Amino acid sequence: MAFGTAVITPRWLYVLAAATPSCYGDPKLCDESLKQLDPSVIQAGDVVGIGIHTGNALRGYELGKIARERGAWVIYGGIHATLFPEEVAERGNAHCVVKGDGDVIWAQAVRDCLNGTPQPLYEGGRIEPDQFIPARWDLMPKDRYMWASVQTVRGCAKHCSFCSVWRTDGQRPRQRASDVVVEEIVQLRRRGFRFIALADDNFYPVTLTDLKLAERQGNTARLQQLRAIREERFTLMARLAELPHDMVFFTQITMEAAEDTEFLDAMKKAHIKGALVGVEAVTAEGLKAVYKDFNLSGDSLVRQLQTFREHGVHVLGSFIFGLPTDKPDTFDATAALAQKAGVAFAQFVMMTPFPGTVDFERWEKSQQANPTLVEGIPLTRYWLIPENKRPKMFTPHPSMSSEEIRERTQGVWDRFYDWSSTWKRSSCATSIRYRLAFVFISKLYRQMYAKTGISSDSARKSRANFMSRLIAVPCRRLFQAKPMPDLELPRGMKTERPAFPILR
Ligand code: B12
Ligand code: SF4
């Protein structure tokens, strides 16, 4: 469902727009989270690029069919296309599928299509950070998004079992130079964006433990490399600190950052006011089950989460329910821990085996001998099952039914976001205006999640849709700021590249 306002800009769309050779003119962009595509805009001979992740792959295939029927060239990309190029080619009416990063390869695929020589598969690979293309924000529709998104680093050194990032984006952090990141942010602030999501997998790519280990091993080359990455992070944060004080950044980070208070203090100065921290599980067994035993559990976990807040970084705690180690009392224990640790926001997601993950592979293997089918489609291809027939959980739990897990998860959301708890948490805001904004955002966040996956009951879903629509517009206004067209780059950054690269 789209209602003309979205939370975060889909960055890939604006990056690919910038990667489109200028000789073909400005591309027309369509973000279906704002408004459904009007097929009549597609003309025969056009090139249509469709970006898909697993959750919207089926809709992507519908769009591919529409575009191809209208005589366009159809190119797919995005994480799902990277993981399942054959499926995309077969089901999506594709002329071409791009695997990996699109920044560089997109121009070639477009050119080949327009010359009538498309190749079925293009390997975009993992490009180096100096090849990442800054987005074309000049093509963004006005007054539609609450947050813009800028990526500073791609990849993550960890290897959590439920996450595909370390496998698709790699374990080596590919970190952009701070200059190009800040230039993009300044352009966004000039346009009136003061809330920016740093769309990184892990904003803290080098931990103190990594440094100590390299030191202990006497690995000078690695130590130098790690120090350079860390130094660049501090340079970036120092530059962000020089931007207007009304700016607010939000990112994703591992819990280990709590041990590095110098880093947290730099984040605070840089206006990075919040971070999603993957807590996942509150018990040691749960953490082991998802290969995340670098996280702490119990009271030490509470302490670590509190450290973020004490250093001015508010936490959006992310918790997973439905792990094999979960028991009925895990739900209450998690809700209590989230309250005790003082996290500002929380999300409670149900275990989903996303393709490309260790969990997915394990599950696929277990299904090989006797696959479960829904409408003739193997459950391990759940994204191809029409949404109204799709189960809410895919992997059986050893002791609880899917319905029990769903209901208990819903209960934790309800408890965490009830009026009194939300109002209490809003005391972290510095004025009554911000306090109200905090309550609004909490409610919007909760409503948006209520309609994704967790709620199977359609009355509840349509109520959630109605509430999201109602809250979204005032929320977006709260996020807007007066444009600052004359905003200068921070000191020490003299040269400014064109707002977007001109490719021919
Ligand atoms: C920021 C982010 C978000 C943000 C913003 C999303 C948005 N509107 O853009 C928020 C927090 C809202 C979010 C939400 C979710 N996210 Co998210 N998110 C990310 C994150 C960290 C970065 C995405 C990003 O902006 N990257 C920067 C751009 C430039 O890179 P890119 O998108 O990969 O695009 C490049 C290539 O893929 C390719 N490409 C992409 N599209 C196309 C199209 C064409 C035609 C071509 C040629 C190339 C191409 O070229 C691009 C440039 O190189 C990724 C992790 C990751 N590393 O991708 C997860 C990720 C995409 N998210 C993921 C998930 C699961 C979700 C949620 C379902 C979580 C949840 N439980 O609710 C929701 C779904 C929301 C939705 N309906 O879209 C998964 C997807 C897994 C999968 N197999 O689909 C990822 C990979 C993280 C993970 N842990 O595995 N997410
Ligand atoms: S969940 Fe977070 S820490 Fe784990 S591999 Fe993915 S991005 Fe890295």
Side-chain angles (χ1 to χ4, degrees), residues 88 135 267 322 390 464 492 495:
V88 174
M267 282 175 73
R390 211 178 285 171
T495 50

Side-chain angles (χ1 to χ4, degrees), residues 324-343:
T325 49
D326 284 355
K327 300 181 189 70
D329 61 8
T330 308
F331 296 84
D332 277 347
T334 305
L337 185 135
Q339 308 266 23
K340 190 171 168 194
V343 298

